[in-house]
Amino acid sequence: MYQKHPGAGPLTVTVFVFPGVRLLDVTGPIEVFASANDWGGEYRVQVASEDGADVVTAAGTRLAADLSVDDVHETCDVLVIPGGPEWETLVKDDALLDAVRGLSGRARCTASVCTGAFLLAAAGLLDGRRAATHWRQTRELGLRYPSVRVEPDAIFVRDGKMMTSAGVTAGIDLSLALVEEHYGAEVARAVAKDMVVFMQRPGGQSQFSARCRVPNPRQETLRELLDSVAENPGANHSVTAMARRAGVSVRHITRLFYEEVGTSPGRYVEQVRLEAAQAMLETGDDPMVVVARHTGFGSPESLRRAFVRHLGVTPAAFRASFRTTGLGAGDRTSAADPS
């Protein structure tokens, strides 16, 4: 057993569940806190639903609730608000949002997992705060709730008593951070090793984003340029070259990009090249010099800098992490030490 932080005693974790909740959003954090109890932590975990009844998750699994929201009388140390695929419906459920507000008001820390951030935002609990959510929904969270400062690449974010995490398994990262805060790094490290996960995973969640989806701009000139970048990312796509191909000024091309793509020509081209390089690294064995040349970065060093700047990992680490789980490898490759 490891020494607890001075003054740390039994802590109560309340997990709020509802019909259609994502199963791993619930069980991931619970497993972290339960495992911590084997290594020096003292957590009491309880599951609450609106009326105390069991709920059926999005996976079709039935979850039992320990108590109803009205029966949660004591202040809890951590409130976990999971997400669900039908979050667009959930944010319109006034009774559900009232339950979230009431529980959060009795919690020292409120933590959401994945699209649970939408429930907190709809309840007004993230106004003026920084927040994270699943990478697919970061833009939507910012559009729906402009008072929330969305951090699209964060695995989890803490702002005051509110914590929000990225998609699904990021709830494990968030929970490990809380274990470290409550009982120290040694306990959190022991839990990470026990669960065979990173105590702090490399990179942000940009590395999980979809390939560039080419927008459909109103201007045909810009549409043709975007198509040419996507079709051949290794070609010369400097703003001067693109302006020359389009027969317009550099200033005009730059303005079109900002108006219809929302970013500069250079940044857009680099993003397309980055995603092309990701695809090559995921599916092929080409040397880095070939990947860099084919995707327009020119050199392995330029490729490496772009990966570290945007994804927080090197190209080699990306290839190793995302090409295979290692299952069935002839050399019995071991998983990386998660510590």
Side-chain angles (χ1 to χ4, degrees):
M1 292 292 181
Y2 294 100
Q3 290 293 319
K4 293 182 293 185
H5 271 194
L11 301 174
T12 300
V13 177
T14 300
V15 183
F16 179 54
V17 297
F18 44 84
V21 69
R22 189 185 290 271
L23 181 62
L24 191 55
D25 286 10
V26 176
T27 58
I30 288 178
E31 192 65 33
V32 170
F33 296 122
S35 181
N37 288 343
D38 295 330
W39 301 99
E42 289 187 64
Y43 288 104
R44 182 172 69 90
V45 180
Q46 58 186 14
V47 177
S49 65
E50 276 192 77
D51 55 4
D54 297 354
V55 301
V56 177
T57 71
T61 303
R62 183 175 296 275
L63 283 178
D66 300 308
L67 70 173
S68 70
V69 169
D70 291 337
D71 291 331
V72 181
H73 300 301
E74 63 180 2
T75 298
C76 68
D77 296 282
V78 179
L79 169 67
V80 177
I81 304 295
E86 303 300 321
W87 60 268
E88 290 181 278
T89 300
L90 296 173
V91 297
K92 300 173 185 176
D93 188 330
D94 291 336
L96 187 73
L97 298 181
D98 284 341
V100 170
R101 291 188 196 97
L103 288 170
S104 182
R106 299 192 293 277
R108 293 188 174 90
C109 172
T110 298
S112 69
V113 182
C114 196
T115 55
F118 282 84
L119 298 182
L120 296 185
L125 298 174
L126 295 182
D127 289 351
R129 297 183 186 272
R130 297 177 297 114
T133 190
H134 193 289
W135 62 264
R136 290 185 189 275
Q137 275 82 42
T138 53
R139 185 171 182 272
E140 184 66 26
L141 182 63
L143 289 174
R144 284 185 178 239
Y145 308 102
S147 62
V148 179
R149 303 197 302 275
V150 182
E151 296 195 3
D153 196 42
I155 298 297
F156 62 84
V157 171
R158 180 161 201 164
D159 193 328
K161 66 172 280 185
M162 296 294 167
M163 293 184 73
T164 50
S165 77
V168 197
T169 60
I172 293 174
D173 298 71
L174 180 150
S175 301
L176 283 170
L178 284 171
V179 170
E180 181 177 11
E181 177 182 311
H182 296 150
Y183 295 106
E186 287 188 88
V187 175
R189 187 175 297 111
V191 174
K193 288 184 175 182
D194 186 53
M195 294 180 65
V196 198
V197 297
F198 286 106
M199 186 169 174
Q200 181 178 353
R201 74 172 77 190
Q205 64 168 338
S206 290
Q207 58 197 319
F208 299 101
S209 65
R211 296 287 171 262
C212 247
R213 293 180 175 87
V214 178
N216 189 27
R218 296 184 301 272
Q219 298 284 337
E220 183 178 355
T221 298
L222 181 58
R223 187 161 54 247
E224 291 176 353
L225 287 175
L226 297 182
D227 289 343
S228 68
V229 174
E231 290 168 5
N232 186 8
N236 180 5
H237 297 301
S238 69
V239 64
T240 302
M242 287 193 289
R244 187 183 305 117
R245 292 201 301 270
V248 297
S249 68
V250 168
R251 182 177 180 182
H252 184 68
I253 283 294
T254 302
R255 180 177 59 80
L256 285 179
F257 265 86
Y258 274 111
E259 288 180 352
E260 301 211 35
V261 184
T263 189
S264 69
R267 287 177 181 169
Y268 177 81
V269 170
E270 183 172 65
Q271 185 62 42
V272 173
R273 287 173 170 168
L274 186 69
E275 294 183 343
Q278 287 176 267
M280 289 187 69
L281 292 170
E282 287 172 354
T283 60
D285 296 310
D286 294 303
M288 292 300 171
V289 65
V290 174
V291 175
R293 185 172 62 248
H294 184 80
T295 56
F297 285 103
S299 69
E301 179 57 25
S302 295
L303 177 68
R304 189 194 69 80
R305 285 199 298 267
F307 263 73
V308 172
R309 182 168 62 252
H310 290 281
L311 305 181
V313 295
T314 65
F318 181 91
R319 169 176 272 168
S321 298
F322 297 103
R323 285 197 59 196
T324 177
T325 62
L327 185 64
D331 60 355
R332 297 188 179 182
T333 301
S334 300
D337 184 350
S339 61

